[in-house]
């Protein structure tokens, strides 16, 4: 009887093993196979700002600018300090890095701290990484905008020490920090972080927006360990469209040959947004079949797809696509944004066919001023062709008020580069009676420092001289036609001084007094 009972028990156990719900064991196996992230949070040691090169020249507002800035940091109001930080950030002025760094730890004003984050982010200097890691590791007692500034700073200055803290915030799925932490991980994360995030995709409690964000970040990290999962998502028609889009881009960025096959097939979709992201993925492949598809995409019915195809053509330097780009420019029904992208790409490629077409737009009287401005900007950026024609075009606008906008637009382009070939047109702008045109001429001179025109700039600066005597002022008041102050005088003076010139007074010719009749006293 005992043997029978044992046999029966054994049968029950065997039956349980054979017919048990497989999901139970699978769950156990899956639980055991879940990737465990083991990196610990850290706070790095303090470091001073890196010492920047002093070779850069700055256009200081005054002779004592450095001293004034130092005084502002020591004694200025918060609003004044904030304005100064904006100015220094814009100019990437590195002369005050130590003062700004010390101010960061001294100030209690969080707005000033955020401004300083912006300054060092622009300089790509990770000197604040200890503070950033402290905030990211425990952000709950800090303002949201300060935490966001820390995320951006960590990502832009490559503070890899912040990665474990970012992973922890993502793991906690708190809406206030999830997207910011995830975005920073996309710039800083590696293989370990990619595997951690890939596990996240299997969670049922993620929102669609969180899944989209995860997909984009996995693409930026380019971890091939997650390829199988992302390739499956990209091909799953039941998946959210945007999640699929980012998955398609991600598997392309991983550059596995299998990705190209999948993307080429997926391009047959009717979803134009999806097609655009498939092109982003295919841009990582240099095969003939991918290039052929990109050429075909230049003719896609959806302009956003055409735009992405132009991006691919530019990135892959597909100069054989120039005839297609020219056709897009000539098509009257084409979108303005597509045409403008074509102008830049054609100019960059520097082919004889492309250059000839762009220059023809500059010289054709039927071409609108707006188009001419965009084409000129593209040609001048790459400086391969059309400079002579663009200078002649600028001259032709000088006597036509209807073409002021084109005149200003061309002047702004000349002012970007300071090339020696712009000296002649700079003089034309400086000699113009229109205040804005002359001001544009000063901008061109400030970039090119044309020595042959320095006297002209000095003459414009005369009215800004601070040592005008009372006697000279009285003389001006007594004149029948008093001399008008040049509105560009202060600007000219600052530009000269920034270029190392001193403004010298020009001897002024006295206007002869009207003749007086000795008998009648009449003039």
């Amino acid at each position: 009887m005992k043997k029978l009972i044992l046999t029966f028990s054994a049968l029950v156990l065997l039956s349980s093993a054979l017919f048990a719900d497989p999901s139970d064991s699978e769950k156990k196996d899956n639980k055991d196979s879940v990737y465990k992230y083991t990196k610990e949070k850290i706070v790095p040691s303090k470091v001073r700002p890196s010492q920047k090169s002093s070779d850069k020249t700055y256009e200081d507002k005054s002779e004592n600018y450095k001293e004034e800035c130092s005084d502002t940091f020591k004694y200025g109001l918060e609003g004044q300090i904030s304005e100064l930080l904006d100015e220094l950030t814009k100019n990437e002025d590195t002369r005050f890095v130590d003062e700004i760094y010390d101010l960061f730890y001294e100030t209690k004003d969080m707005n000033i701290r955020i401004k300083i984050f912006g300054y060092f982010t622009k300089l790509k200097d990770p000197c604040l990484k200890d503070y950033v890691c402290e905030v990211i590791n425990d952000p709950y007692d800090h303002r949201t905008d300060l935490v966001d500034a820390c995320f951006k700073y960590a990502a832009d200055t490559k503070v890899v020490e912040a990665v474990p803290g970012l992973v922890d915030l993502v793991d906690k799925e708190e809406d206030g920090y999830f997207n910011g932490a995830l975005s920073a991980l996309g710039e800083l994360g590696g293989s370990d972080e990619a595997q951690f995030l890939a596990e996240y995709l299997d969670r049922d409690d993620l929102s669609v927006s969180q899944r989209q964000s995860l997909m984009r970040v996995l693409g930026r990290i380019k971890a091939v360990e997650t390829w199988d999962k992302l390739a499956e998502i990209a091909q799953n028609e039941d998946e959210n469209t945007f999640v699929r889009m980012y998955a398609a881009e991600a598997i392309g960025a991983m550059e596995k040959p299998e990705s190209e096959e999948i993307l080429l097939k997926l391009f047959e979709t009717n979803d134009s947004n999806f097609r655009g992201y498939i092109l982003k993925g295919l841009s990582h492949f240099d095969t003939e079949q991918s290039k052929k598809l990109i050429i075909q995409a230049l003719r896609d019915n959806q302009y956003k797809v055409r735009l992405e195809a132009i991006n691919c053509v530019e990135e892959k330097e597909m100069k054989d696509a120039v005839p297609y780009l020219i056709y897009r420019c000539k098509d009257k029904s084409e979108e303005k944004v597509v045409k403008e992208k074509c102008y830049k790409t054609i100019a960059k490629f520097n082919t004889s066919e492309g250059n000839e077409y762009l220059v023809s737009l500059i010289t054709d009287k039927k071409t609108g001023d707006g188009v001419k401005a965009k084409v000129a900007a593209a040609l001048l950026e790459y400086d391969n062709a059309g400079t002579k024609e663009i200078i002649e075009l600028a001259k032709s606008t000088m006597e036509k008020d209807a073409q002021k906008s084109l005149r200003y637009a061309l002047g702004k382009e000349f002012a970007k580069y300071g090339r020696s070939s712009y000296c002649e047109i700079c003089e034309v702008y400086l000699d113009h009676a229109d205040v804005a045109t002359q001001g544009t001429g000063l901008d061109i001179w400030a970039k090119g420092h044309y020595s042959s025109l320095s006297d002209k700039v000095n003459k414009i600066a005369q009215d800004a001289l601070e040592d005008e005597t009372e006697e000279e002022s009285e003389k001006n008041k007594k004149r029948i036609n008093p001399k008008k102050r040049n509105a560009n005088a202060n600007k000219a003076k600052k530009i000269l001084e920034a270029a190392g010139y001193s403004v010298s007074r020009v001897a002024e010719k006295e206007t002869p007094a009207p003749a007086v009749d000795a008998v009648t006293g009449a003039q």
Side-chain angles (χ1 to χ4, degrees), residues 276-308:
Y277 274 82
I278 290 168
L279 285 173
K280 289 177 186 287
L282 284 173
S283 69
H284 297 276
F285 298 92
D286 283 325
T287 64
E288 283 303 311
Q289 53 186 353
S290 284
K291 289 181 178 179
K292 284 180 180 178
L293 189 141
I294 290 168
I295 292 291
Q296 289 304 311
L298 291 170
R299 304 161 61 188
D300 197 279
N301 284 330
Q302 170 54 248
Y303 83 92
K304 290 182 180 179
V305 179
R306 297 196 297 276
L307 264 180
E308 191 55 52

Short mmCIF file of all heavy atoms in Angstrom, two decimals, residues 276-308:
data_model
loop_
_atom_site.label_atom_id
_atom_site.label_comp_id
_atom_site.label_asym_id
_atom_site.label_seq_id
_atom_site.Cartn_x
_atom_site.Cartn_y
_atom_site.Cartn_z
N GLY A 276 9.96 59.04 -44.36
CA GLY A 276 11.01 60.00 -44.03
C GLY A 276 12.02 59.43 -43.05
O GLY A 276 13.23 59.60 -43.20
N TYR A 277 11.53 58.71 -42.03
CA TYR A 277 12.44 58.13 -41.04
C TYR A 277 13.17 56.91 -41.58
O TYR A 277 14.30 56.62 -41.16
CB TYR A 277 11.67 57.79 -39.76
CG TYR A 277 11.59 58.98 -38.84
CD1 TYR A 277 10.64 59.97 -39.03
CD2 TYR A 277 12.51 59.15 -37.81
CE1 TYR A 277 10.58 61.09 -38.22
CE2 TYR A 277 12.47 60.25 -36.98
CZ TYR A 277 11.50 61.22 -37.19
OH TYR A 277 11.47 62.34 -36.38
N ILE A 278 12.57 56.22 -42.53
CA ILE A 278 13.28 55.12 -43.19
C ILE A 278 14.48 55.67 -43.95
O ILE A 278 15.56 55.08 -43.96
CB ILE A 278 12.33 54.36 -44.13
CG1 ILE A 278 11.29 53.58 -43.29
CG2 ILE A 278 13.08 53.40 -45.03
CD1 ILE A 278 10.13 53.04 -44.10
N LEU A 279 14.30 56.84 -44.58
CA LEU A 279 15.42 57.48 -45.27
C LEU A 279 16.54 57.85 -44.29
O LEU A 279 17.73 57.72 -44.60
CB LEU A 279 14.95 58.73 -46.01
CG LEU A 279 14.16 58.50 -47.30
CD1 LEU A 279 13.62 59.82 -47.83
CD2 LEU A 279 15.03 57.83 -48.36
N LYS A 280 16.16 58.32 -43.11
CA LYS A 280 17.16 58.62 -42.09
C LYS A 280 17.99 57.37 -41.78
O LYS A 280 19.21 57.44 -41.61
CB LYS A 280 16.49 59.12 -40.80
CG LYS A 280 15.89 60.52 -40.89
CD LYS A 280 15.20 60.86 -39.57
CE LYS A 280 14.45 62.17 -39.62
NZ LYS A 280 15.33 63.35 -39.60
N GLY A 281 17.30 56.23 -41.72
CA GLY A 281 18.01 54.98 -41.46
C GLY A 281 18.89 54.57 -42.62
O GLY A 281 20.04 54.14 -42.44
N LEU A 282 18.39 54.72 -43.84
CA LEU A 282 19.13 54.31 -45.04
C LEU A 282 20.33 55.22 -45.31
O LEU A 282 21.24 54.84 -46.05
CB LEU A 282 18.21 54.31 -46.25
CG LEU A 282 17.23 53.13 -46.34
CD1 LEU A 282 16.26 53.34 -47.50
CD2 LEU A 282 17.98 51.81 -46.52
N SER A 283 20.33 56.40 -44.74
CA SER A 283 21.46 57.32 -44.97
C SER A 283 22.77 56.76 -44.46
O SER A 283 23.84 57.26 -44.80
CB SER A 283 21.18 58.68 -44.31
OG SER A 283 21.21 58.57 -42.89
N HIS A 284 22.71 55.70 -43.66
CA HIS A 284 23.93 55.09 -43.11
C HIS A 284 24.52 54.03 -44.04
O HIS A 284 25.54 53.43 -43.69
CB HIS A 284 23.62 54.47 -41.74
CG HIS A 284 23.21 55.46 -40.71
ND1 HIS A 284 24.11 56.19 -39.96
CD2 HIS A 284 21.97 55.88 -40.30
CE1 HIS A 284 23.45 57.00 -39.13
NE2 HIS A 284 22.15 56.82 -39.32
N PHE A 285 23.89 53.81 -45.20
CA PHE A 285 24.36 52.77 -46.11
C PHE A 285 24.79 53.38 -47.45
O PHE A 285 24.13 54.27 -47.98
CB PHE A 285 23.27 51.72 -46.33
CG PHE A 285 22.88 51.00 -45.07
CD1 PHE A 285 21.82 51.46 -44.29
CD2 PHE A 285 23.59 49.89 -44.65
CE1 PHE A 285 21.48 50.82 -43.12
CE2 PHE A 285 23.24 49.24 -43.47
CZ PHE A 285 22.19 49.71 -42.70
N ASP A 286 25.90 52.87 -48.00
CA ASP A 286 26.46 53.41 -49.24
C ASP A 286 26.26 52.48 -50.43
O ASP A 286 26.96 52.62 -51.43
CB ASP A 286 27.96 53.69 -49.07
CG ASP A 286 28.22 54.96 -48.28
OD1 ASP A 286 27.43 55.91 -48.42
OD2 ASP A 286 29.19 54.98 -47.50
N THR A 287 25.33 51.58 -50.36
CA THR A 287 25.12 50.64 -51.45
C THR A 287 24.35 51.30 -52.59
O THR A 287 23.66 52.31 -52.39
CB THR A 287 24.34 49.41 -50.97
OG1 THR A 287 23.03 49.83 -50.57
CG2 THR A 287 25.04 48.74 -49.79
N GLU A 288 24.45 50.71 -53.76
CA GLU A 288 23.75 51.24 -54.93
C GLU A 288 22.24 51.22 -54.75
O GLU A 288 21.54 52.14 -55.16
CB GLU A 288 24.14 50.44 -56.18
CG GLU A 288 25.51 50.80 -56.74
CD GLU A 288 25.62 52.28 -57.07
OE1 GLU A 288 24.71 52.82 -57.75
OE2 GLU A 288 26.61 52.91 -56.65
N GLN A 289 21.74 50.16 -54.11
CA GLN A 289 20.28 50.07 -53.96
C GLN A 289 19.74 51.15 -53.03
O GLN A 289 18.66 51.70 -53.27
CB GLN A 289 19.87 48.67 -53.47
CG GLN A 289 20.59 48.19 -52.22
CD GLN A 289 20.23 46.74 -51.89
OE1 GLN A 289 19.35 46.13 -52.51
NE2 GLN A 289 20.89 46.18 -50.90
N SER A 290 20.50 51.50 -51.99
CA SER A 290 20.06 52.58 -51.10
C SER A 290 20.11 53.93 -51.82
O SER A 290 19.21 54.76 -51.69
CB SER A 290 20.92 52.64 -49.84
OG SER A 290 20.58 51.61 -48.96
N LYS A 291 21.17 54.15 -52.60
CA LYS A 291 21.30 55.41 -53.34
C LYS A 291 20.18 55.56 -54.38
O LYS A 291 19.65 56.65 -54.58
CB LYS A 291 22.67 55.48 -54.00
CG LYS A 291 23.81 55.70 -53.01
CD LYS A 291 25.16 55.78 -53.72
CE LYS A 291 26.28 56.04 -52.72
NZ LYS A 291 27.60 56.10 -53.37
N LYS A 292 19.83 54.46 -55.03
CA LYS A 292 18.74 54.51 -56.02
C LYS A 292 17.43 54.88 -55.35
O LYS A 292 16.63 55.66 -55.89
CB LYS A 292 18.61 53.15 -56.72
CG LYS A 292 19.68 52.88 -57.77
CD LYS A 292 19.48 51.53 -58.42
CE LYS A 292 20.56 51.25 -59.47
NZ LYS A 292 20.40 49.90 -60.07
N LEU A 293 17.20 54.32 -54.18
CA LEU A 293 15.95 54.64 -53.48
C LEU A 293 15.94 56.11 -53.06
O LEU A 293 14.90 56.77 -53.13
CB LEU A 293 15.78 53.74 -52.26
CG LEU A 293 14.41 53.85 -51.58
CD1 LEU A 293 13.92 52.48 -51.12
CD2 LEU A 293 14.43 54.80 -50.40
N ILE A 294 17.09 56.64 -52.62
CA ILE A 294 17.16 58.05 -52.23
C ILE A 294 16.86 58.95 -53.42
O ILE A 294 16.14 59.96 -53.29
CB ILE A 294 18.55 58.35 -51.64
CG1 ILE A 294 18.70 57.67 -50.28
CG2 ILE A 294 18.77 59.86 -51.49
CD1 ILE A 294 20.11 57.65 -49.73
N ILE A 295 17.39 58.60 -54.60
CA ILE A 295 17.09 59.37 -55.82
C ILE A 295 15.60 59.34 -56.12
O ILE A 295 14.99 60.36 -56.45
CB ILE A 295 17.89 58.81 -57.02
CG1 ILE A 295 19.39 59.08 -56.85
CG2 ILE A 295 17.39 59.42 -58.32
CD1 ILE A 295 19.78 60.52 -56.95
N GLN A 296 14.99 58.17 -55.97
CA GLN A 296 13.55 58.05 -56.21
C GLN A 296 12.76 58.89 -55.20
O GLN A 296 11.73 59.47 -55.53
CB GLN A 296 13.12 56.58 -56.13
CG GLN A 296 13.59 55.73 -57.29
CD GLN A 296 13.14 56.29 -58.64
OE1 GLN A 296 11.98 56.62 -58.83
NE2 GLN A 296 14.09 56.44 -59.56
N ALA A 297 13.28 58.96 -53.98
CA ALA A 297 12.58 59.72 -52.93
C ALA A 297 12.58 61.22 -53.22
O ALA A 297 11.76 61.96 -52.67
CB ALA A 297 13.23 59.44 -51.58
N LEU A 298 13.49 61.69 -54.09
CA LEU A 298 13.46 63.10 -54.49
C LEU A 298 12.20 63.43 -55.27
O LEU A 298 11.87 64.61 -55.47
CB LEU A 298 14.69 63.43 -55.34
CG LEU A 298 16.05 63.43 -54.63
CD1 LEU A 298 17.19 63.53 -55.65
CD2 LEU A 298 16.14 64.58 -53.63
N ARG A 299 11.50 62.41 -55.72
CA ARG A 299 10.27 62.60 -56.50
C ARG A 299 9.03 62.19 -55.70
O ARG A 299 7.94 62.04 -56.26
CB ARG A 299 10.37 61.77 -57.78
CG ARG A 299 11.59 62.10 -58.61
CD ARG A 299 11.93 61.00 -59.59
NE ARG A 299 10.86 60.78 -60.55
CZ ARG A 299 10.83 59.77 -61.43
NH1 ARG A 299 11.81 58.89 -61.45
NH2 ARG A 299 9.83 59.65 -62.26
N ASP A 300 9.19 61.99 -54.41
CA ASP A 300 8.08 61.57 -53.56
C ASP A 300 6.99 62.64 -53.54
O ASP A 300 7.27 63.84 -53.60
CB ASP A 300 8.58 61.32 -52.14
CG ASP A 300 7.61 60.50 -51.30
OD1 ASP A 300 6.64 61.10 -50.78
OD2 ASP A 300 7.82 59.28 -51.20
N ASN A 301 5.74 62.22 -53.43
CA ASN A 301 4.62 63.17 -53.42
C ASN A 301 4.60 64.06 -52.19
O ASN A 301 4.03 65.15 -52.22
CB ASN A 301 3.29 62.42 -53.53
CG ASN A 301 3.03 61.91 -54.94
OD1 ASN A 301 3.48 62.53 -55.91
ND2 ASN A 301 2.33 60.80 -55.07
N GLN A 302 5.18 63.60 -51.10
CA GLN A 302 5.18 64.35 -49.85
C GLN A 302 6.48 65.16 -49.75
O GLN A 302 7.58 64.63 -49.80
CB GLN A 302 5.04 63.39 -48.67
CG GLN A 302 5.25 64.00 -47.30
CD GLN A 302 4.38 65.21 -47.02
OE1 GLN A 302 4.91 66.32 -46.91
NE2 GLN A 302 3.08 65.03 -46.94
N TYR A 303 6.35 66.49 -49.59
CA TYR A 303 7.54 67.34 -49.62
C TYR A 303 8.50 67.05 -48.47
O TYR A 303 9.72 67.21 -48.60
CB TYR A 303 7.13 68.82 -49.63
CG TYR A 303 6.83 69.43 -48.28
CD1 TYR A 303 7.82 70.06 -47.55
CD2 TYR A 303 5.55 69.37 -47.73
CE1 TYR A 303 7.56 70.63 -46.32
CE2 TYR A 303 5.27 69.92 -46.50
CZ TYR A 303 6.28 70.55 -45.80
OH TYR A 303 6.01 71.10 -44.57
N LYS A 304 7.99 66.59 -47.32
CA LYS A 304 8.87 66.29 -46.19
C LYS A 304 9.79 65.11 -46.52
O LYS A 304 10.94 65.07 -46.08
CB LYS A 304 8.05 65.98 -44.93
CG LYS A 304 7.36 67.21 -44.36
CD LYS A 304 6.61 66.87 -43.09
CE LYS A 304 5.91 68.11 -42.51
NZ LYS A 304 5.15 67.79 -41.28
N VAL A 305 9.28 64.17 -47.30
CA VAL A 305 10.11 63.05 -47.73
C VAL A 305 11.18 63.54 -48.71
O VAL A 305 12.34 63.14 -48.65
CB VAL A 305 9.25 61.94 -48.37
CG1 VAL A 305 10.13 60.78 -48.86
CG2 VAL A 305 8.20 61.42 -47.39
N ARG A 306 10.78 64.46 -49.61
CA ARG A 306 11.76 65.03 -50.54
C ARG A 306 12.86 65.78 -49.78
O ARG A 306 14.04 65.70 -50.13
CB ARG A 306 11.06 65.98 -51.54
CG ARG A 306 10.03 65.28 -52.42
CD ARG A 306 9.65 66.13 -53.63
NE ARG A 306 9.01 67.38 -53.32
CZ ARG A 306 7.71 67.55 -53.08
NH1 ARG A 306 6.89 66.49 -53.08
NH2 ARG A 306 7.21 68.75 -52.85
N LEU A 307 12.47 66.51 -48.76
CA LEU A 307 13.45 67.23 -47.94
C LEU A 307 14.45 66.27 -47.31
O LEU A 307 15.66 66.51 -47.30
CB LEU A 307 12.74 68.01 -46.83
CG LEU A 307 12.45 69.49 -47.06
CD1 LEU A 307 11.75 70.07 -45.85
CD2 LEU A 307 13.71 70.27 -47.36
N GLU A 308 13.94 65.17 -46.77
CA GLU A 308 14.83 64.19 -46.14
C GLU A 308 15.73 63.54 -47.17
O GLU A 308 16.90 63.24 -46.88
CB GLU A 308 14.01 63.14 -45.39
CG GLU A 308 14.81 62.24 -44.48
CD GLU A 308 15.63 63.03 -43.47
OE1 GLU A 308 15.06 63.89 -42.78
OE2 GLU A 308 16.85 62.78 -43.38
#
